[in-house]
Amino acid sequence: MQPLDAIDTAILRAIQQNGRISNADLAQRVGLSPSACSRRLDILEKSGVVSGYYARISPKALDYRMIAIVHISLSGQFAKTLAEFEAAVKLCPNVLVCYLMSGEYDYILRIAAKDLEDYERIHRDWLSALPHVVKINSSFALREVIDRPSIGV
Amino acid sequence: MQPLDAIDTAILRAIQQNGRISNADLAQRVGLSPSACSRRLDILEKSGVVSGYYARISPKALDYRMIAIVHISLSGQFAKTLAEFEAAVKLCPNVLVCYLMSGEYDYILRIAAKDLEDYERIHRDWLSALPHVVKINSSFALREVIDRPSIGV
DNA sequence: CGTGAAAGGGTTCACTC
DNA sequence: GAGTGAACCCTTTCACG
């Protein structure tokens, strides 16, 4: 991937804020003709810099008002242990993010729940049932300060 | 917000996967006429269930290969202390996510960096310079298992 | 990279069931 | 609420300078 110039950067910034902007408007905003802008965007999409377009659904509007951050430790780091855990965690729709980590805990999860009672259900029926888990540590978000879809460019 | 029926759910699922789907295609996919589909989507947007559309930029394509999870403790929980910290953290473009938390640490951050050297720079120039910080704990993602933009509907 | 034009498709009405 | 049909606007995408 060749480095991005100022115009590519401006394109990325624009479509990151508005994924449904038309090519004509985008071109005007970055100071390019529609054809040139379309060519650049095409390259950015085909090269994988733009990996897709998504609608953002507000969790609150769907009545998901709680965000929990959960640290999990497993009984070992064998490949089979990790694979089985990951296959199981992928089945839980409340898990928004899951990272395999270095350090004290093996996994960090971000989980959406409707309320504390809902979280208790998730904890009981999903988290505690995950294979190879030996330690679960939950904490709760009091406020969302930043939530960017990607790095600022 | 009134509860969503099966068609609303199907609409949300579709636009979550493809934010640039045309209303005509969307209508066909959920089994509605274009006009009815447009009306429903309009309601979903105006009521805030759909909070926007955005392009997903691949951090890897921009050469950001590292994800760090950082736990931070402040010297107090006074409103002024939190406000000053949050104002400062918002200025760092590498911070993708920041939550004010209950529990042992005050904040959890998700940070993108190009490599370890880049992360050291961020740690030195940004994190350590944030006001009121008394404790920083960094760990690194070995693998991204799940990263959903929103909850599955 | 910009211009211009052609073609194709999408959105959005008013109206009906 | 949902479907139909048509008009209008806009977008995309060429070939060429």
Side-chain angles (χ1 to χ4, degrees), chain B residues 142-153:
Chain B
L142 302 176
R143 191 186 334 136
E144 180 182 291
V145 180
I146 300 175
D147 188 11
R148 293 196 185 103
S150 177
I151 191 158
V153 285

Side-chain angles (χ1 to χ4, degrees), chain A residues 104-105 137 139, chain B residues 72-73 101-107 135 137:
Chain A
E104 188 185 347
Y105 287 90
N137 190 318
S139 51
Chain B
I72 290 182
S73 288
M101 302 296 298
S102 70
E104 188 185 347
Y105 286 90
D106 292 316
Y107 289 94
K135 195 161 144 199
N137 190 319

Side-chain angles (χ1 to χ4, degrees), chain A residues 1 4 12 15-23 26 41 45 47-59 61-62 64 67-69 71 77 82 86 89-104 107-108 110 112-113 137 139-153, chain B residues 1 4 12 15-23 26 41 45 47-59 61-62 64 67-69 71 77 82 86 89-104 107-108 110 112-113 137 139-153:
Chain A
M1 181 64 212
L4 307 171
L12 292 179
I15 62 176
Q16 208 170 28
Q17 290 168 12
N18 177 7
R20 280 200 154 176
I21 189 173
S22 71
N23 182 58
L26 181 60
L41 185 55
E45 289 172 353
S47 68
V49 176
V50 177
S51 59
Y53 298 87
Y54 303 88
R56 178 176 280 221
I57 313 296
S58 164
L62 296 178
Y64 285 89
I67 293 288
I69 305 293
H71 297 69
Q77 284 257 13
L82 302 184
E86 291 176 18
V89 83
K90 281 179 186 169
L91 299 179
C92 180
N94 297 81
V95 177
L96 302 180
V97 178
C98 175
Y99 280 113
L100 172 66
M101 301 296 298
S102 70
E104 188 185 347
Y107 288 95
I108 290 187
R110 180 184 180 184
N137 190 318
S139 51
F140 300 98
L142 303 175
R143 191 182 337 135
E144 180 183 291
V145 180
I146 301 175
D147 188 11
R148 294 196 183 103
S150 177
I151 190 157
V153 285
Chain B
M1 180 66 215
L4 307 171
L12 291 179
I15 63 176
Q16 209 170 28
Q17 289 168 12
N18 178 9
R20 280 201 155 176
I21 190 172
S22 71
N23 181 58
L26 181 60
L41 186 54
E45 289 172 353
S47 67
V49 176
V50 177
S51 59
Y53 299 87
Y54 65 94
R56 178 174 277 217
I57 313 297
S58 164
L62 295 177
Y64 285 88
I67 293 288
I69 305 293
H71 297 70
Q77 285 257 16
L82 302 183
E86 290 175 18
V89 83
K90 281 179 184 168
L91 299 178
C92 180
N94 297 82
V95 177
L96 302 181
V97 177
C98 175
Y99 281 112
L100 173 65
M101 302 296 298
S102 70
E104 188 185 347
Y107 289 94
I108 290 187
R110 179 179 173 187
N137 190 319
S139 51
F140 299 97
L142 302 176
R143 191 186 334 136
E144 180 182 291
V145 180
I146 300 175
D147 188 11
R148 293 196 185 103
S150 177
I151 191 158
V153 285

Side-chain angles (χ1 to χ4, degrees), chain A residues 125-138:
Chain A
D125 295 349
W126 285 99
L127 302 183
S128 302
L130 290 169
H132 313 298
V133 169
V134 295
K135 196 160 143 200
I136 300 179
N137 190 318
S138 307

